[in-house]
Amino acid sequence: MLPTDISQELDYDICIVGAGIAGMESALNLGDMGYRVLLVEKEASIGGKMILLSKVFPTLDCASCISTPKMASAAHHPNVTIMVYSEIDEIERKENGTFGVQMHQKPTYVDPNACIGCGQCETACTVAIPDEFNFNLDARRVAHIPFPQAVPKKAILQRNGQSPCNHTCPAGVKPHGYTSLVRAGLHDAAFELHLETTPLIGSLSRACYAPCEKECTRGEFEGSVQIRAIKRFIADRYYELNSEPNYGPVKERKDKRIAIVGAGPAGLNAAFQLARKGYDVTIFEAEEKAGGTMQYGIPDVRLPKDVLERDIKNVTALGVSIRTNTKVESLEKLKQDGFDAVFLGLGCSRTRSKREESADGTTSVKTKAPGRVRSPNTTPFADEIKLAANGVIEINKTLQTSLPYVFAGGDAVTGPLTITAAIGQGNQAAYFIEQFLQGHPLNAADLKELECTDKLAVIAREARLSTRKPTKLLKRENVSKEEGRKAAKLPLTEEEARYSANRCLDCGNCSECHQCVSVCPSNAIDFSMQPIHHQIKVGSVIIATGFELFDAHRKPTFGFGKYPNVVTAMQMDRLLSPTRPFNSVLRPSDGKEPDNIAFVLCVGSRDSQVDHRLCSRVCCMYTAKQAQLIMGSLPLADVTIYYIDIRAFGKGYDEFYEQAKGMGVDFVHGKVADITESSEDEGNLVVRFENLTEGKIEKREHDLVVLSVGLLPNTSAQGMFRGTSIEADNFRYIKEMDEDMEPGVTSIDGVFVAGAANAARDIPDTILHSGAAAVQAAAYIENLKGLVC
Amino acid sequence: MSIAAKKDDAPHILVFSTNNISDPGIDMAGSAHMHYSTQVQVISVPCSSGIKPTWVLHALESGFDGVFIAADGTDCAYLPDCTTRTGVLVKKTQDLLKEHGRSPKRLRMAAVCSVCSESFVSHMANFQKDIVKIASD
């Protein structure tokens, strides 16, 4: 009998973690040899850090022109499968020498098979956030294609949890969404977005208790965004322009009939949502008018009844019939009358408030605490469905009662509710009733939303926020005391509304304004997307996770993060790159073209203060490269480089350094102590340093300072292995067990390391090392094949 | 002269660009707000060697004044000999154009890399200028 070839049992021969230049190089080498490769990348595009660079040293070849063909080749290689926006959860080495990889693809909220990369979502997106591809030098939209050369060229929606306002709203309204739409001047779209969740926009804009404002992160600064006032602006403006809804009943009808008992907020909402799906909906209301608490529990002065009537028109326009003065006594009777499902949105019995019209046309309330004495009106159904001891209806998590075709929500279920929470229950009921009528299983987890974003992280991110005070809501003149302050406030003007909306911090990034959904020509946007988990069998693993850049905030005396004109070398590389943000080298504080630029070498390298004594091997050369490129881009600029030693060790490197000197770059042998802002020229910086040649302390002024930050180990792969850990060297890079004789071989048999995951390396060395790791992995696979199972 | 008038007068150019390499470069010309004529229309193809001579003739017969092939050069992700194949294709196409009494100069090819936005913009300006000359000859 022939030995069984282990590789037949594998999904892929080799899994490569990280698709930067090292991972791509290893993948292409192995793919060309005929091995099946899985290339896993955590970002939305492959390409790693090299695609971000301007040129490579010492040849000054265009980095992106070299990277893009590699990226395209990897993407189209028949033996290479790429999974982007994916992370490894765990890797387990099996006894037979193969590996089990657990990984997940993060949701991009855009169906990659449908997305055509047209970028229309990007244009329509209403939220701008700092662009990490440009190291926060400029802004990008939340819906975006990472960069023009991205592979795959697909859009993603980068959601950072759900914004606290959206997350907290019991009605499911998206305050962040309509706020960002108002900010963009899309007031009609803001109304329409709100209408997706509830027809009762005008009522909510007066009577909602606004939990969103209490959760608003801006509240931790100078005061929360006035979300309810913005909502009132949206509703009032829309109703002023549209006295009637501009839509009618849905054309595609469904052959099921639904009875809603109670025309309060829960019932109206359930009716609205079901009618929009094409169901035939009838509301039965015992009182003379629809509206429930909103009609009878809230005084006119707080919620004018014409606003409520207009809200209700949003429901009736869909063909929903409201039978007032009609009490429902029997659920069985409804069934006999041909209703396929019932929603009980019953309110509570309440003390009517008495209102009096005063001479000036305003109203006042005589009864104290209107509508406070309340108990659910469930008595007629006690024989048909289960009630709890306190008279409320018993339901399961999907709002279904003991009679399967009857669902319930609102006051009748929970006892007295706010109208906002009742709306939420109406929406949920509509969802589950539709599932029930379509014969689908009812699953409460369907309505699970994204986790709330971390407010502390938002606060930290906004450390340099400018102050924007909340708009003072003006009071109407000559208002009686009884009317209360809230009622007497005037609506926001458009200017005030947009100013207020501009105070939003976009906590969760995506505002859920759904503009991308409206414009996407291929219906690719999918907010319900969840992570996809995979378990994959592979024969070998290559770690090519690259390096981290030193965080310049860790050297506070250099002023990065404090002074806008102190930037990192990676930011300078972006400013010089062909894919640059501004088409020119500009300094951040005022957009001026700098004419006196300083580089500080060894920031975060060879520095025991930050516990990183290693030389990063690339900073001297990339700094000489940037200096030369600046002199090409800004021919009149003076460039100074402060250095401890220049390490130009590779082929052609010393010549490259001499070339920079020859071009007029001032290399100053000096150790920089601190950087401060000039008191005379705004935005300029004073560099204080020890002149090592002359042995004295000096100061020089520059208008832009670049910190040549070092490379740090990326330790993310080190905890990936189940039951064991991969050995790291003294500097926390993944260790090669015998770096002289066996490049790429780690402490775990069958796991190899490629490129800067093992040590700080420049691009040619990384490519060389990745080739070595590929060959090691291939040899390991060949050995496995020889094993008999 | 207003921009609208310019638009009407400028020669109409069809560009075949490759979706891995040339297209990002052309796309970036737009996103970086570089100006090129609105009379330029771009169709992306996977590989320039797959373009058919009859497509070019059809474009010229349908009202385009020139056809520009933005090729990958040696960067093609599919074929190592893409440049040679595209060269043969261009030669064949020019012969076809001659047979149909059209100037072979109405077809032009150049390598456009993934960041060659500026060079693409200048190619378009020069090609349009040259087409105007061909028309006046």
Side-chain angles (χ1 to χ4, degrees), chain A residues 713-734:
Chain A
N714 177 358
T715 54
S716 64
Q718 292 171 17
M720 244 173 222
F721 295 88
R722 185 195 278 185
T724 181
S725 60
I726 195 160
E727 264 185 56
D729 64 20
N730 292 342
F731 305 101
R732 288 175 291 135
Y733 283 102
I734 293 174

Side-chain angles (χ1 to χ4, degrees), chain A residues 267-331:
Chain A
L268 285 168
N269 234 73
F272 174 77
Q273 299 294 3
L274 289 163
R276 285 207 315 177
K277 296 272 165 71
Y279 292 100
D280 187 331
V281 183
T282 307
I283 305 181
F284 299 93
E285 169 57 53
E287 300 280 354
E288 190 188 340
K289 286 182 176 175
T293 312
M294 299 177 293
Q295 185 70 256
Y296 297 109
I298 301 171
D300 262 21
V301 70
R302 198 166 147 218
L303 171 55
K305 293 303 166 280
D306 58 330
V307 174
L308 175 62
E309 297 305 329
R310 178 62 185 82
D311 279 349
I312 293 173
K313 279 184 187 173
N314 291 334
V315 184
T316 50
L318 288 166
V320 172
S321 124
I322 304 181
R323 295 194 202 160
T324 49
N325 293 320
T326 311
K327 266 195 176 169
V328 174
E329 301 285 346
S330 157
L331 297 169

